[in-house]
Amino acid sequence: MPGLVAEEVRIGSGRGVLAGTLVLPRADGPVPAVVVIAGSGPADRSGRMRGFPAYAVIADHLARSGIAVLLLDRRGVGGSAGDWRYESIEDRADDALVALQWLRGRPEVDPARTGLLGHSQGGWVVQLAASRSRDVAFVVLMAGPGERVREQIITDERNEWLRTGHSAEEAEAHVRSLDRWMALIDALAPPCRALRLHTLCHVIEYDPAPALRRIHVPVLALFAERDTMVPPQPNRRLIEEGLREAGNHALTVREFPGANHQFWPAKTGARAEYGELVPGYVPGFLETLGEWIAAVPPAGSAGSSEAAAAP
């Protein structure tokens, strides 16, 4: 990354180690910083999807905008220990806070302007982490859900079926069958987790509402118009309601027209069309990220809790 400093890092040791890359701008004085928390699945630090290094592209842009970025391999991927298949949202939130504390300790970083960015499932993770620690200065939700896990899966499957040529009746029959299967997993979640029978057992019970009601820092919620997995509604409403109950009016919402869950230009937004698309962020996405993070006031300052709602 010309003009930037990219450093391979290891946080912790042994079975608890997290591996990643710290991307730093060439700047004088401490800079704002963010930890990127990936979505579900075996994501490496670059966030590669269909050959597109999604998180590395974000890091490159933000670092060129004067913001440090910590990218991480998920557990069991790359250099990180453990196994992502058996992580709960709570486990991932603990890791996010460990990474945040490490980043806050870097001399190049301003600890009062260090926050978390979560993509997709990572949105639940950073919400929970921010609700647990006053050290999180801001939160960015990149297609981060406000729905419960089980409801989000139903929403996604219904939309995917409708946007791939199935009738409404076929879609509803499919999600009814899926819901019955998830109800069984939900009922058997504790023994299922103990025996490691299915990845979903570790997250199926998660509800983000309690965490949202305990977040008191600025939040940027980014939605994509054609997202089947985390559509703008009902997720925007649920996030707004949760933060409102926390007395938090420092919410900025942006919705990107014509974008899918990855914030790429899309036709239908369905996952089935990903192979037909040219990967790359829609216009304005990266700029919105950089400008908002750069403008967030330091934690504890008078401006850090001011309203920032957007239509």
Side-chain angles (χ1 to χ4, degrees):
M1 296 180 180
L4 309 176
V5 178
E7 177 184 336
E8 300 296 300
V9 303
R10 290 172 68 85
I11 301 169
S13 61
R15 295 182 179 179
V17 72
L18 288 168
T21 301
L22 175 61
V23 185
L24 294 163
R26 296 189 183 277
D28 297 325
V31 298
V34 64
V35 182
V36 175
I37 303 299
S40 60
D44 67 10
R45 67 192 73 181
S46 73
R48 195 168 296 278
M49 165 68 72
R50 299 275 177 178
F52 178 66
Y55 304 148
V57 169
I58 288 174
D60 182 87
H61 178 84
L62 293 183
R64 295 180 190 282
S65 304
I67 300 161
V69 182
L70 177 59
L71 304 174
L72 298 169
D73 294 330
R74 280 205 68 181
R75 293 210 168 272
V77 178
S80 291
D83 192 331
W84 64 270
R85 293 174 297 174
Y86 307 120
E87 287 186 297
S88 67
I89 302 298
E90 291 79 6
D91 293 334
R92 298 198 67 198
D94 289 342
D95 280 348
L97 290 175
V98 167
L100 181 88
Q101 290 301 335
W102 181 91
L103 186 58
R104 281 165 49 87
R106 292 285 303 213
E108 307 93 337
V109 165
D110 181 352
R113 293 188 292 163
T114 302
L116 299 170
L117 182 158
H119 177 216
S120 193
Q121 184 189 91
W124 284 316
V125 175
V126 300
Q127 292 165 23
L128 182 58
S131 77
R132 289 179 168 182
S133 173
R134 295 183 180 181
D135 291 334
V136 180
F138 62 85
V139 170
V140 178
L141 303 176
M142 181 178 164
E147 288 188 291
R148 302 181 184 204
V149 170
R150 185 170 162 184
E151 293 167 350
Q152 184 271 323
I153 293 171
I154 292 295
T155 294
D156 174 36
E157 286 293 317
R158 178 183 289 113
N159 287 335
E160 186 73 12
W161 273 57
L162 289 173
R163 296 187 196 187
T164 51
H166 294 86
S167 68
E169 292 77 13
E170 289 172 326
E172 289 308 311
H174 170 67
V175 297
R176 281 196 301 270
S177 176
L178 178 63
D179 193 44
R180 287 193 294 269
W181 176 72
M182 287 196 295
L184 178 62
I185 289 183
D186 202 359
L188 299 176
C192 180
R193 285 194 295 271
L195 296 171
R196 295 190 166 191
L197 297 177
H198 196 285
T199 303
L200 195 56
C201 300
H202 298 264
V203 299
I204 189 71
E205 299 172 309
Y206 188 72
D207 178 2
L212 287 166
R213 293 195 290 264
R214 297 194 301 270
I215 297 175
H216 301 284
V217 296
V219 176
L220 173 63
L222 304 173
F223 295 106
E225 178 192 17
R226 294 175 183 166
D227 190 344
T228 62
M229 300 181 74
V230 185
Q233 293 298 344
N235 290 287
R236 173 176 179 165
R237 173 181 57 79
L238 292 168
I239 290 168
E240 288 175 337
E241 288 174 356
L243 294 177
R244 191 180 305 121
E245 288 189 44
N248 185 355
H249 303 289
L251 170 65
T252 301
V253 179
R254 295 288 184 269
E255 181 178 332
F256 292 88
N260 66 13
H261 186 65
Q262 308 300 330
F263 292 88
W264 303 349
K267 301 171 186 176
T268 68
R271 295 187 304 281
E273 74 170 2
Y274 279 17
E276 305 169 12
L277 303 177
V278 177
Y281 291 116
V282 292
F285 175 80
L286 293 171
E287 292 77 8
T288 296
L289 271 180
E291 291 167 7
W292 186 87
I293 293 174
V296 172
S301 69
S304 64
S305 61
E306 292 179 358

